Amino acid sequence: MTDTLVPTLEDALQQWRDANWIRSIDVALVELLQQAGEQNPAVLLASLFASHQVGRGHTVLHLNALAENPNHTLALPPVNNTAGDCVTPAELLEQCWPKAEPSVLESTLCVDTTGEGQQPLVLINDQLYLRRYYLYERFIEADLKQRMDDEPVVNEELLQQTLALLFASSADDKINWQRLACANTVKHRFSVLTGGPGTGKTYTVVRLLTALQHQTLKLGLPPLRISLAAPTGKAAARLRESIEAELKSLKDTSALASLTAAFDAITPNGKTLHRLLGVMPNSRQFKHNERNPLRTDVVIVDEASMMDIEMMVALLKATPKHARLVLIGDKDQLASVEAGAVLGNLCAGADQGHYHPSTVSWLERVAQSPSLPREFIDADGPQRLQHVVMLRESRRFFGPIADLANAINYQQQEQITEELAKAGRAESDYPVRVLDIDSLDAPEFKQLVRDGIPRLRRDDFDSFDDYVKATLDANTQFQILTALREGPWGMKAVNQKVGEILGVNANSWYDGRPVMVTKNDYGLKLNNGDIGIAFADPEHGHLRVAFPDDSDNTQTGKSGIRWVLPSRLTHIETVYAMTVHKSQGSEFKHTVMVLPDHDTPVMSKELLYTGITRAKERLSLVGNNLFSQGGKRV
């Protein structure tokens, strides 16, 4: 970095754009304001940074944080991308807006300080918004308040009886949070159900739907219309499959025969949010909105941590006010790639409960629950938290992997160091393994790839279809995840390296190539995130890509496989490795996390927690100096 600042703001922004520090759309906003007559460099710089934060997934720019540590707040310059002699945000601020004080922005025509104007920027205290995202936040706040204030009529005695049938009584006066969540969700038109892996979110949802249908049918009304959705096609399919499996188990339980009509009224049909709302080509709008709402009585959205603020607004506009809206997800996972951490914001404080005494009294009475701990009771708790229940006991996710994930989630540094040390000295059969290597050329990484990626023999199966199905299933048992997409430790580089280890060109078509769909293709009935494998088909004599398909009418006429020609797949990438963002909602028997050899803002606790909790049985952490600074890198 040179000591001489660039002569103009325009030159600095051009350098940043050329170095890929900022987006072209960020610069376009500055140019638009200049064309409108704005010349104050502080205002132009503030607009640039507000737009840049949206690109990073944040809906607001906090000016106090900007003044204290601009480079950290903006994550600029990017790690390993200093771009020679580019001026840094701190240096440019010192030149154009030394203290980043909000008062400098209050008198300009481009900034609205009331929230009622039409200016492109909105300043509330030290928070600077692009107007669109300010309006999104205000809309969500007003809409949810209306839904939370309007409580449906509930037959408490009937609900109490239904819960007693659906949830076994605890013999040791232990709080059944699943039972409480079901009761609380029936009580409200808007609810959030959050919890980590294995806490029984789907288990609870099936019983919630049963309780709702039972209430309705007992009144002699038609069954409730239910809409199940998720941000991705893969997540929507898993939601449907999980509910179908749990529903079948309940139907086979003789003690629940009195609920048969309620079970039969539940028709799982998971869709992506885009399909549920109705995509309109070449538009940001949806078919279903406030003028044409969904014809539904219950909307359940799984993996809601992946939902951005714009999608949340669209969902609220399309969901009729009389309907129940339920969001499900792990509040501690990564937020959406787009702007806005909707689920995380709604669940802020959920760990401590903050339930009003009236909320606690109702739940304990209707759910017949032991008394909630006093620390969960708060007469001044936010209204939104009366609609949130956090499932706190994992029934299948425990052991060393869970211990490490929880230590990272709660930032328990001593525990993190202890767990990593255990993994470093443990035997090979220990669930967590650490490979502290300098590069992906290390023999340990090559061996990890050779041992992990499944290779099945066709001769071991009675038919080609059986071989394909087994290979597709085996492909879900081992997955490499990366924190980054680009760079020597990023997804692209790792895929290339795995190809070299296996002796193939990872980005060309060959027998055995695993690929991920990166954009919804409704013509092929493939969703963003779907994974398939290329096979040299002996019957057709050329490569075709097989995707799992649970329908009975595939192109082959056989259940379980959907065949697609490679030439028809226009949006795919090789997927020996995928980013942690892309892995959300998935689980793998053995998960390998490749971590960069340098600190980067991307390496948040949310990313690490999300990646680690994808592992069901084994976790391998790969990277350089994982134990540096007492384990603080991890």
Side-chain angles (χ1 to χ4, degrees), residues 365-383:
R365 182 179 71 256
V366 175
Q368 298 176 300
S369 171
S371 298
L372 267 66
R374 294 187 62 181
E375 57 265 27
F376 289 153
I377 303 173
D378 177 7
D380 298 320
Q383 182 187 18

Side-chain angles (χ1 to χ4, degrees), residues 433-497:
R433 183 183 180 191
V434 173
L435 296 181
D436 200 29
I437 62 176
D438 291 328
S439 76
L440 298 178
D441 286 316
E444 299 94 329
F445 180 71
K446 293 181 179 180
Q447 193 61 47
L448 183 67
V449 169
R450 295 190 186 102
D451 292 342
I453 294 179
R455 294 186 178 185
L456 306 183
R457 289 165 40 89
R458 292 190 190 184
D459 295 343
D460 294 336
F461 297 88
D462 294 335
S463 70
F464 181 65
D465 278 350
D466 288 343
Y467 162 70
V468 171
K469 292 174 189 175
T471 304
L472 288 171
D473 181 64
N475 191 56
T476 67
Q477 303 303 303
F478 177 87
Q479 185 61 54
I480 303 173
L481 306 181
T482 65
L484 307 174
R485 183 174 177 84
E486 308 289 345
W489 296 85
M491 180 268 290
K492 291 183 178 179
V494 173
N495 274 318
Q496 191 64 43
K497 181 56 63 178

Side-chain angles (χ1 to χ4, degrees), residues 83 160 183 246 270 460 496 572 627:
Q160 191 177 67
E246 189 64 38
D460 294 336
Q496 191 64 43
I572 54 97
F627 290 97

Side-chain angles (χ1 to χ4, degrees), residues 286-443:
F286 293 95
K287 172 185 174 182
H288 291 289
N289 49 45
E290 61 268 43
R291 296 179 301 279
N292 179 33
L294 294 162
R295 294 175 178 83
T296 187
D297 301 302
V298 181
V299 177
I300 294 182
V301 180
D302 196 16
E303 298 293 346
S305 62
M306 301 166 66
M307 186 166 56
D308 62 79
I309 191 171
E310 186 172 6
M311 179 56 75
M312 181 65 175
V313 169
L315 177 65
L316 291 176
K317 288 182 177 180
T319 302
K321 292 295 191 291
H322 78 270
R324 283 179 171 85
L325 174 60
V326 185
L327 305 184
I328 308 169
D330 186 344
K331 67 181 179 60
D332 297 315
Q333 282 193 26
L334 279 169
S336 165
V337 175
E338 304 298 330
V342 174
L343 187 70
N345 292 337
L346 289 171
C347 293
D351 292 89
Q352 294 78 38
H354 293 290
Y355 294 125
H356 296 166
S358 58
T359 301
V360 173
S361 175
W362 191 92
L363 288 174
E364 289 179 352
R365 182 179 71 256
V366 175
Q368 298 176 300
S369 171
S371 298
L372 267 66
R374 294 187 62 181
E375 57 265 27
F376 289 153
I377 303 173
D378 177 7
D380 298 320
Q383 182 187 18
R384 61 178 168 80
L385 288 181
Q386 313 315 302
H387 299 252
V388 177
V389 174
M390 177 178 171
L391 304 183
R392 300 166 187 270
E393 181 184 358
S394 180
R395 288 166 166 77
R396 62 173 172 80
F397 187 67
F398 43 81
I401 298 175
D403 292 341
L404 178 59
N406 292 328
I408 287 173
N409 188 35
Y410 293 106
Q411 298 180 292
Q412 299 166 332
Q413 191 56 56
E414 290 185 7
Q415 184 71 16
I416 295 171
T417 303
E418 182 180 337
E419 293 298 329
L420 287 175
K422 276 194 238 177
R425 63 174 179 263
E427 299 296 328
S428 59
D429 60 349
Y430 193 71
V432 181
R433 183 183 180 191
V434 173
L435 296 181
D436 200 29
I437 62 176
D438 291 328
S439 76
L440 298 178
D441 286 316

Side-chain angles (χ1 to χ4, degrees), residues 39 50 89 121 147 153 174-175 265 295 303 399 523 568 593 596:
Q39 300 301 322
L121 300 172
R147 294 176 191 272
V153 177
K174 195 173 185 179
I175 295 173
R295 294 175 178 83
E303 298 293 346
R568 300 190 68 191
M593 278 193 71

